[in-house]
Amino acid sequence: AQSVTQLGSHVSVSEGALVLLRCNYSSSVPPYLFWYVQYPNQGLQLLLKYTSAATLVKGINGFEAEFKKSETSFHLTKPSAHMSDAAEYFCAVSGTTGANSKLTFGKGITLSVRP
Amino acid sequence: DTGVSQNPRHKITKRGQNVTFRCDPISEHNRLYWYRQTLGQGPEFLTYFQNEAQLEKSRLLSDRFSAERPKGSFSTLEIQRTEQGDSAMYLCASSWGTSGGETQYFGPGTRLLVL
């Protein structure tokens, strides 16, 4: 079975500081990996995804993530935090076939940005 | 394209009552997923459809839950004899494709409170 671990439930950074949100996965084969963001009272929005092409994936709003098979990680980073980045972030994993496309999510991390 | 819509957005019901939620996917998306999200947790997979066929159901989905997608368009999720433990946010997502790794687009969710 596939799973995702997001350590810590809350990260707080100052505006302009580096954002690093950690995600580790467990899977018997290299999976597809996703980062979603959820703003208050809104649906989940895809930030970026890894589907076995380039290991460094660039997403929307200046976010990027690097797939590291040796570390089973897919950490999300942004060089400079903005107040509008405050939200809840979810890492998710899926299989790589059409029959195994459901997403398995981590518990999520709440990002706060201090002025 | 107006995105994935869900109705109602909020539902309060008494224990033992039946409730039905509706999801309208992005038009021409062949896949439709239902997830459930409780406070402080990531979404959990419930079931998904490819066109009108229900291809997978989670063990989380008890016999009180049933989902349909007639004609491969909108979908309904019904919960019979609701219990307090059913209180959660019910999320719907849709995607296009059959090979895996497709982006799932989420609706705003239906928040259910069972008293």
Side-chain angles (χ1 to χ4, degrees):
Chain A
Q2 298 170 321
S3 66
V4 163
T5 301
Q6 295 184 253
L7 289 177
S9 59
H10 185 236
V11 170
S12 180
V13 300
S14 298
E15 191 173 19
L18 171 72
V19 175
L20 170 61
L21 304 180
R22 299 178 185 275
C23 172
N24 288 88
Y25 69 89
S26 174
S27 178
S28 57
V29 295
Y32 291 159
L33 292 155
F34 305 78
W35 275 100
Y36 278 84
V37 61
Q38 188 173 34
Y39 298 102
N41 299 314
Q42 293 187 29
L44 289 144
Q45 180 183 7
L46 181 71
L47 279 176
L48 50 79
K49 65 180 180 181
Y50 166 75
T51 55
S52 71
T55 56
L56 181 62
V57 181
K58 294 186 183 298
I60 61 171
N61 301 338
F63 284 93
E64 64 180 38
E66 186 172 8
F67 172 71
K68 292 187 176 181
K69 182 179 176 181
S70 61
E71 299 178 7
T72 60
S73 69
F74 191 57
H75 302 329
L76 182 71
T77 61
K78 181 174 180 177
S80 176
H82 192 271
M83 297 296 291
S84 61
D85 295 326
E88 192 157 17
Y89 292 79
F90 293 94
C91 183
V93 63
S94 81
T96 58
T97 65
N100 194 13
S101 61
K102 66 178 182 288
L103 295 171
T104 301
F105 287 86
K107 291 186 175 182
I109 298 175
T110 300
L111 175 65
S112 301
V113 182
R114 303 184 301 272
Chain B
D1 186 352
T2 57
V4 178
S5 61
Q6 293 186 246
N7 287 289
R9 294 291 307 276
H10 302 274
K11 179 71 177 179
I12 300 174
T13 191
K14 293 182 179 179
R15 187 178 54 181
Q17 298 294 305
N18 299 344
V19 295
T20 300
F21 309 140
R22 176 177 171 127
C23 171
D24 287 90
I26 293 171
S27 58
E28 299 182 356
H29 274 190
N30 60 334
R31 290 192 161 194
L32 188 149
Y33 300 80
W34 284 100
Y35 294 86
R36 179 172 65 188
Q37 185 178 18
T38 53
L39 208 59
Q41 301 294 320
E44 293 175 301
F45 169 78
L46 293 178
T47 189
Y48 91 96
F49 294 83
Q50 181 164 306
N51 300 314
E52 65 274 11
Q54 188 173 18
L55 295 187
E56 187 176 352
K57 292 170 58 174
S58 165
R59 282 173 290 180
L60 292 175
L61 213 63
S62 77
D63 292 343
R64 296 185 297 104
F65 288 70
S66 63
E68 294 182 340
R69 192 184 183 199
K71 302 179 182 178
S73 56
F74 70 92
S75 175
T76 57
L77 179 68
E78 181 182 17
I79 308 174
Q80 296 182 327
R81 305 181 303 281
T82 53
E83 301 173 356
Q84 289 185 325
D86 298 331
S87 296
M89 176 76 85
Y90 290 82
L91 300 170
C92 175
S94 71
S95 68
W96 168 255
T98 57
S99 59
E102 302 93 6
T103 297
Q104 293 185 25
Y105 295 85
F106 283 79
T110 295
R111 185 172 296 281
L112 172 66
L113 178 60
V114 182
L115 301 176

